[in-house]
Amino acid sequence: MSYTALAITLLFVLIPLILSKTLHLQLEKDTIIATIRSIVQLLIVGYILKFVFTSDGYLYTGLMIGLMVLAATLNARKKGSHIDGITWKLVVTFLTVEVITMSILIGLNVVPAIPQYMIPLSGMAIGNAMVLSILFLNRFSSEIEAYEDQIELILSLGGTPKQAIHRQLISSIKASMIPTIESQKTIGLVQLPGMMSGQIIAGADPIQAVQFQLLVLFMLLSTAALSSVILGFLSYPTLFNKQMQMIHEKFSGE
Amino acid sequence: MNSIYQPSIHFQDIHLTIDGQTILNGITGSIPDGKITTFVGPSGAGKTTLLKMCNRLISPTSGEIQIYNKNAQDYNPVDLRREVGIALQSAPMIKGTVYDNLNLPRTLQNQQLSREDAISILQDVGLDETFLKKDALDLSGGQKQRVSIARTLVNRNKILLLDEITSALDRISVREVEELIQKINKKYHVTIIWITHNLEQAIHLGDYVWVLMDGQLIEAGESSILKSPKNERIKQFIEGVDA
């Protein structure tokens, strides 16, 4: 695609801007910021990827994945500010997701161990883990706030912190995973997934595009389960002290 | 408290400070074994905090609590909470049936409450077996409070802590719950600490009373001291409640 053709696609940005102005949605500023950020960020990523792919070294691939983990952590940790050590808990979660998914994909020779595969697939795995972590942390915060008295009840009856928070933990893990599972049920019926569409537009065989898309879908299902479960089980102990008492200020919202 | 009775709980110079605010300030006293002791006092006096310290849901900043002559800190919290039960003011119900709620203390120990035991405990709190299958969240305030007490009793506690359990009940239900607590006290020889705003209740039901104000124990003695208090602050508090 030429830069002229790309420039024409900015017409798609004009439509929401006009609608926002006309209907007083007050989204003009956010729309412009989002557009500029996406152009700048993606162009930078494009040039970095070009450099990494041609430099033929695992060091740059590792650095790219490290940057992804860092960006995902900085983005998600705002939602878990009431959880002690949320930064390293997110780092552990994202790294575990990355190691497990890449071990399966590369270890079993599903994809070759080259940056062209590792970086995009890592991006999808870590990106999905980030979204799942944010969904989990949002839901977990509201669950523990809403059911504080039930958690205290179970402690008062001689339950351990894990037993006390079990319902809220499971409910939050399930709630954060449901969108991933539901979206997979209708995939291909309503819309073609972005990666698959991109491959087809770029001229790839549709069956091969479907195969890669399935690989990504199964990988995302796994990252969804892994990230919410790991983060959940790392997070709940920080809400209680060594005497198995609730640390009340951590239950009272952000 | 000067008493010929063996204490089940002894508080020694209990202080609690949270974010620079004094919640409890030097509480010292004993709760007699097998008796009903009421905690009375204005809101914010520290009654619920002191109650929750008895089963280590809260710990003091300084001071020592002895439960049956053993430092509360030396108990495993899980074991202590099964010995010292608490019925919370809000009577929270978990999602499910009344049976699920009664069975909760057992499931926490990987056991199951038999249907016969569940019916027997329900009858103890004045409810019949038809309640077993009812949705706990659909119960009235009074029924929830009874189920809450019944659920606490499943652990066969030696000490029972009651946090304003009758404050949301109508007069008839209050009377029934009062009789129930007296029955439990006599039948199982359970030590009971009962927080109440109702001074009549404290006089009629309690063997002993503690009057707490501003985090301090102002007066402790037989319940009859509420009839003719000598302390000026208690007089003012009683007049305020009666007014």
Side-chain angles (χ1 to χ4, degrees), chain A residues 176-188:
Chain A
S176 59
M177 284 180 64
I178 283 171
T180 305
I181 296 169
E182 287 302 316
S183 70
Q184 293 201 10
K185 285 184 186 167
T186 56
I187 203 149

Side-chain angles (χ1 to χ4, degrees), chain B residues 45-96:
Chain B
K47 305 184 293 292
T48 298
T49 306
L50 194 62
L51 197 75
K52 287 182 176 177
M53 281 183 180
C54 297
N55 67 353
R56 282 182 70 190
L57 284 174
I58 299 175
S59 291
T61 313
S62 67
E64 189 179 306
I65 300 168
Q66 297 252 333
I67 315 275
Y68 293 114
N69 299 317
K70 182 178 167 183
N71 191 334
Q73 296 295 319
D74 295 338
Y75 282 92
N76 178 313
V78 167
D79 295 338
L80 180 65
R81 288 167 193 164
R82 287 174 188 167
E83 294 275 317
V84 183
I86 185 167
L88 301 163
Q89 186 180 9
S90 58
M93 295 288 119
I94 59 159
K95 204 174 162 187

Side-chain angles (χ1 to χ4, degrees), chain A residues 150 155 158 163 243-245, chain B residues 56 59 81-82 93 108:
Chain A
Q150 288 196 13
L155 287 179
Q163 288 173 320
Q243 303 195 56
M244 298 192 192
Q245 295 165 343
Chain B
R56 282 182 70 190
S59 291
R81 288 167 193 164
R82 287 174 188 167
M93 295 288 119
L108 297 174

